[in-house]
Amino acid sequence: MNNLIIKNADQVVTCSGFEGKRGREMSDLHVIEGGTVIVTGGIISHVLHPGEEIPVSERDYTLIDAGGKALLPGFVDPHTHFVFGGYREEEFSWRMRGDSYMDIMNRGGGIVNTTRATREATEEELMESGRQRLDAMMRLGITTVEGKSGYGLDRDTELKQLRVMRRLNETHPMDIIPTFMGAHAIPEEWKGKEDEFVDFNIREMFPLVAGEKLAEAVDIFCEKGVFSVEQSRRYLAAAREHGFLLKMHADEIVPMGGAELAAELRCLSADHLLQASDEGIRAMAQADVVATLLPLTAFSLREKYARGREMIDTDCMVALATDLNPGSSFSASVPLLFAIACIYMRLSPEEAVSAFTINSAAAINRADYIGSIDVGKQADLILLQFPSYKFLPYHVGMNIVETVIKRGRIVVKN
């Protein structure tokens, strides 16, 4: 029975809203001190202030006393590559000695290295490793995750990745939102034929993925030495014609005008953005593009962090994500994410919470359904072992999530 009454929480951090928040709105978490939340049939049915009478029969509900704890929406991770084969630990050591991400990629490492391993992995092997990663993420309070393909770069392996995500979505408590990223890199067999590879994705892959309903969005790595702005524009415009939402890896390593292109096409989100220009940031704010920032990637690559503070001050909708992948961010550490976002990217704790709940839900087109504690939303909730959300960045590097609730059912007790 997924009926719950969660009583007497020191804080009910509602993050209330049904769309992404921008600029100053990100600082208002709509906290209820001493509040109670009632879940009926897996949906939030009541959000009560202290002194308000509980309007249901308690004998039909499981009671949780949340005294001394903070209750928050489940975290939403809107950018991961969690289905992959193999690892790249050797490349990590190369980066530590000074080799750049692009240097490694240009000599056959990077994404293409993982592509070989993912092509060789069976669907069952990808299922098992994917399930283990989802379990680990759920223990950290993540209740919804976006997963990208892009480690096949051929017909069969791309479809294999997406089908694995669909099977995991059907069998794992986590909600998985699939994105097709056929244009993640140039595979070895298409070197020198980049335009033809874009055509291959448009002509062959888009109809297949759309026909099987394997993905909601498409993504492309718009980057020097990977896909140009014009190639990205052509790919994304064609994807929209097939009914896909649009996402971009933009301005990560070299300033390319990716943020501007995301605004021009009114993409759902533009991600990374380490090198985004002032003009690009303003354009994203005006076009309602969610700026999804990936601090664990910059940390792992020893790159400067995206300008989250300036983006919020420019009235952007800013989201956070882990970018879990085997190369540039082999981590889904929520504690580290919050610490870096607040300490080094200069987000306030309130802004960081908004960025990893309601705004990250907006980055996957789910802000009307998850990402806040509002009546009518799916009951994806977490209880912290401390009385305030401010412990998330303050207790540096430590998982303080005690209980994870998914659709009104307790799925994790740490």
Side-chain angles (χ1 to χ4, degrees):
M1 183 173 67
N2 47 355
N3 293 346
L4 296 176
I5 298 174
I6 307 167
K7 301 174 68 172
N8 307 320
D10 275 37
Q11 292 180 340
V12 176
V13 184
T14 69
C15 304
S16 182
F18 290 82
E19 58 185 10
K21 299 184 179 185
R22 58 177 65 252
R24 293 180 182 177
E25 296 172 348
M26 292 179 63
S27 296
D28 189 354
L29 297 180
H30 298 278
V31 176
I32 302 170
E33 295 184 359
T36 293
V37 173
I38 302 176
V39 176
T40 306
I43 301 296
I44 298 166
S45 57
H46 303 82
V47 181
L48 305 177
H49 289 74
E52 289 189 278
E53 193 173 321
I54 292 177
V56 298
S57 172
E58 294 191 15
R59 67 174 176 270
D60 297 327
Y61 288 73
T62 300
L63 267 62
I64 298 175
D65 185 350
K69 301 167 188 174
L71 180 69
L72 285 81
F75 297 134
V76 179
D77 193 342
H79 182 130
T80 80
H81 305 255
F82 79 92
V83 175
F84 59 85
Y87 295 96
R88 306 214 304 262
E89 72 283 356
E90 191 64 36
E91 294 179 16
F92 182 84
S93 67
W94 295 344
R95 287 207 309 274
M96 295 308 99
R97 75 185 187 196
D99 295 8
S100 75
Y101 180 81
M102 294 306 289
D103 286 342
I104 293 169
M105 195 168 176
N106 288 336
R107 66 173 188 251
I111 293 165
V112 172
N113 187 353
T114 298
T115 297
R116 287 191 289 267
T118 306
R119 288 178 178 181
E120 293 169 3
T122 67
E123 189 167 314
E124 292 308 315
E125 288 170 339
L126 294 177
M127 280 285 295
E128 182 54 31
S129 60
R131 184 181 293 109
Q132 292 175 10
R133 291 171 197 135
L134 293 175
D135 288 346
M137 296 168 88
M138 189 162 271
R139 289 193 292 271
L140 295 164
I142 296 170
T143 53
T144 299
V145 65
E146 185 253 22
K148 302 180 190 294
S149 70
Y151 288 133
L153 306 178
D154 63 9
R155 178 187 182 277
D156 291 344
T157 316
E158 287 293 310
L159 295 177
K160 178 172 66 175
Q161 279 192 274
L162 293 169
R163 287 168 182 154
V164 165
M165 282 186 259
R166 180 163 65 186
R167 286 179 62 194
L168 286 169
N169 187 52
E170 292 168 351
T171 58
H172 195 279
M174 186 90 76
D175 282 330
I176 299 160
I177 314 302
T179 293
F180 172 62
M181 196 174 180
H184 195 192
I186 307 296
E188 293 169 330
E189 62 268 27
W190 289 90
K191 286 289 184 186
K193 299 184 290 183
E194 289 80 4
D195 283 325
E196 290 90 336
F197 183 61
V198 171
D199 290 337
F200 159 74
N201 276 285
I202 292 171
R203 184 181 63 253
E204 295 192 34
M205 295 307 297
F206 287 176
L208 283 171
V209 175
E212 284 195 46
K213 298 182 179 177
L214 287 171
E216 295 186 10
V218 301
D219 199 338
I220 187 169
F221 192 6
C222 181
E223 185 58 65
K224 183 178 179 181
V226 191
F227 297 101
S228 69
V229 168
E230 188 47 50
Q231 288 166 337
S232 300
R233 180 184 285 110
R234 185 158 61 88
Y235 173 94
L236 292 170
R240 175 167 279 152
E241 292 180 7
H242 284 275
F244 293 111
L245 298 168
L246 309 184
K247 300 172 79 74
M248 284 181 64
H249 285 49
D251 296 324
E252 179 183 4
I253 298 165
V254 175
M256 290 266 295
E260 290 89 335
L261 178 61
E264 173 194 325
L265 297 176
R266 295 192 173 271
C267 291
L268 182 61
S269 75
D271 302 16
H272 286 292
L273 300 169
L274 278 65
Q275 304 291 338
S277 68
D278 292 345
E279 291 178 6
I281 291 170
R282 284 193 295 270
M284 286 192 300
Q286 292 166 2
D288 294 331
V289 177
V290 180
T292 300
L293 310 184
L294 316 173
L296 299 182
T297 311
F299 176 79
S300 298
L301 294 177
R302 290 178 174 159
E303 297 288 346
K304 71 174 186 178
Y305 296 105
R307 293 185 292 153
R309 175 75 272 137
E310 289 88 341
M311 291 178 190
I312 294 172
D313 292 343
T314 309
D315 221 27
C316 270
M317 281 186 285
V318 170
L320 292 170
T322 67
D323 194 20
L324 171 63
N325 73 75
S328 60
S329 178
F330 188 40
S331 176
S333 175
V334 173
L336 186 58
L337 179 79
F338 273 104
I340 294 173
C342 294
I343 298 169
Y344 292 104
M345 297 173 69
R346 297 189 295 129
L347 274 66
S348 69
E350 294 78 15
E351 290 165 341
V353 169
S354 290
F356 205 46
T357 55
I358 188 64
N359 280 12
S360 49
I364 54 171
N365 199 38
R366 290 293 193 284
D368 60 339
Y369 190 60
I370 57 171
S372 70
I373 301 177
D374 281 301
V375 172
K377 285 199 173 184
Q378 183 167 285
D380 296 351
L381 307 165
I382 59 174
L383 275 170
L384 306 183
Q385 62 179 273
F386 291 105
S388 170
Y389 65 86
K390 292 181 180 178
F391 281 80
L392 285 164
Y394 163 58
H395 200 26
V396 176
M398 302 298 289
N399 182 20
I400 64 170
V401 173
E402 179 198 81
T403 302
V404 181
I405 297 163
K406 183 67 183 177
R407 297 189 195 90
R409 298 184 187 277
I410 296 172
V411 292
V412 172
K413 285 286 287 185
N414 285 326

